[in-house]
Amino acid sequence: MGNRTFAMIKPDAVESGKWGKIIDHIIAEDYKILGVKMQRMSEAEARAFYAVHKERPFYEELVEFMSSGPSVLLVLEKADAVPAWRDTIGATDPAEAAAGTIRAKFAENKGRNAVHGSDSDENAQKEIAFFFSEAELILNQ
Ligand code: UDP
Ligand code: MG
């Protein structure tokens, strides 16, 4: 497994101010932050980023939400980063997320669920490249 994943703190958690506590959680779990930026996605970017879900009933609502305000975009490094980060964030629906996970602690509901995590190494690479150039990443820390 690879050692990088792509994470986002979504507009709900930026707007509510919970994003600082989420950054604390990330650091406390020993992820190395290789890249970080705050950016409001355009509607076109949100559509492209979530294109895999375009046939799903929640797609339009998801695009509207993800382009509604700034997100914090993160490249995280850790051993087996993709499954590690999925464990750290918990299930998509916070009602089903394990206690202590970021979604259990900070998500509002299944749509406005505070954070994103890549679901495979291949998608992690694509998602990192969607927002970051390799030169923007802080390596050899
Ligand atoms: N989503 C939603 N309703 C659903 C399923 C997903 O609004 O029934 C949103 C939610 O914000 C989720 C995103 O679409 O995080 C992507 O869905 P996915 O199934 O990939 O969940 P994730 O990988 O984020 O846990
Ligand atoms: Mg997903």
Side-chain angles (χ1 to χ4, degrees), residues 16-119:
S16 67
K18 294 174 184 167
W19 68 278
K21 290 197 170 72
I22 295 173
I23 296 284
D24 279 348
H25 191 124
I26 290 168
I27 292 169
E29 290 206 22
D30 291 327
Y31 290 90
K32 202 177 275 184
I33 298 174
L34 302 187
V36 59
K37 55 176 87 162
M38 188 180 276
Q39 183 179 309
R40 181 176 181 163
M41 267 190 236
S42 66
E43 187 187 315
E45 281 174 318
R47 277 188 192 287
F49 186 82
Y50 281 111
V52 66
H53 292 308
K54 64 178 185 297
E55 307 301 336
R56 308 283 291 278
F58 56 82
Y59 181 65
E60 290 302 324
E61 194 180 342
L62 177 61
V63 167
E64 196 277 325
F65 165 52
M66 291 303 298
S67 58
S68 69
S71 296
V72 178
L73 315 174
L74 295 150
V75 180
L76 302 180
E77 183 180 77
K78 197 178 196 178
D80 295 340
V82 166
W85 179 243
R86 297 293 309 197
D87 282 352
T88 296
I89 66 178
T92 307
D93 184 345
E96 293 165 14
T101 59
I102 289 176
R103 282 169 166 166
K105 285 162 70 178
F106 303 113
E108 293 176 21
N109 55 50
K110 195 173 186 181
R112 297 167 64 87
N113 60 359
V115 282
H116 167 84
S118 306
D119 61 6

